[in-house]
Amino acid sequence: MRRFLIRVVTLAATATALAVPAAPTTAAAAQGLSFRPLHYNTNGYNWGGYAATGSGFTSVSATWTEAKATCNSSNDLYAPWVGIDGYGSSSVEQTGVATDCSSGSPVHQAWYEMYPAAPVYLSTSSYPVAAGNVITASVTYAGSNKYTLKLTNSSRGWTYTTSKTLSASRASAEVIIESPTGAYPNFGTLNFSSATVNGKSLGSFGPVALDPSNGAYEARTSALGSGGTSFSDTFLRE
């Protein structure tokens, strides 16, 4: 049975790039906002997607097609991402693509975070993302408190990889959409596929289903399909 979580959170994690050139830049106003663990969410219940819970999580991965977003206001901001921790813990190791409407038009920007450090946004010229691009994200625990975060845009032909160190509990693994501002742009429907945790289907862990709500549901998460490796999030309201 799907459980709808009441939470107080936003999500996150940060770092500093090592394995590839040019990471931080200032293209999106989203840079000033962190994606934080669930219990820090002060803008409503703004996680959508699935969270596997337990212990000893070592990897999470998923693929999605970047949705075409329509800005309702300059406050709209959201990101699909994958991560370890954040559901019931105070850290998050995560990576994804943020869509920021602060300029009045949607700006897509790749990022990663090793919360409680600040998010690191990648250069939009070196690592461009646009609606319709196919994105694959993964976070892998390499032992000795080390994590590898990897983001690939197969439509644009780039991959960004960084390795970071953080002492964390590895108590959950997620495939999520989230709005740090509690305001989603109209992204239509975003489809996740190939969602795996520890090399197995996301569904095999009996994950918690989450629908973002800020007084009313902002998006709806579908049931898992394709052997527990795919689902969608559909925009309902800002």
Side-chain angles (χ1 to χ4, degrees), residues 50 54 86 98 105 110 124 134 156 181 194 215 217:
Y50 283 90
S105 299
T124 54
V134 177
R156 297 296 183 98
T181 61
S194 303
Y217 286 120

Side-chain angles (χ1 to χ4, degrees), residues 69-157:
T70 300
C71 297
N72 303 300
S73 75
S74 60
N75 195 45
D76 291 353
L77 169 67
Y78 95 110
W81 57 270
V82 304
I84 295 176
D85 286 316
Y87 187 97
S89 59
S90 59
S91 63
V92 185
E93 307 84 58
Q94 65 192 86
T95 187
V97 176
T99 297
D100 175 30
C101 287
S102 61
S103 66
S105 299
V107 174
H108 305 280
Q109 192 165 14
W111 59 275
Y112 68 90
E113 199 170 356
M114 297 289 289
Y115 190 86
V120 175
Y121 282 84
L122 307 188
S123 164
T124 54
S125 57
S126 299
Y127 304 99
V129 180
N133 289 179
V134 177
I135 306 296
T136 299
S138 65
V139 177
T140 303
Y141 180 65
S144 301
N145 295 329
K146 295 179 180 178
Y147 294 83
T148 300
L149 299 94
K150 182 177 180 180
L151 200 62
T152 297
N153 185 335
S154 57
S155 301
R156 297 296 183 98

Side-chain angles (χ1 to χ4, degrees), residues 10-14 30-36 77 94 111 113 115-119 121 178-181:
T10 308
L11 49 138
T14 87
Q31 283 188 241
L33 297 172
S34 288
F35 293 80
R36 301 194 216 160
L77 169 67
Q94 65 192 86
W111 59 275
E113 199 170 356
Y115 190 86
Y121 282 84
E178 186 223 2
S179 171
T181 61

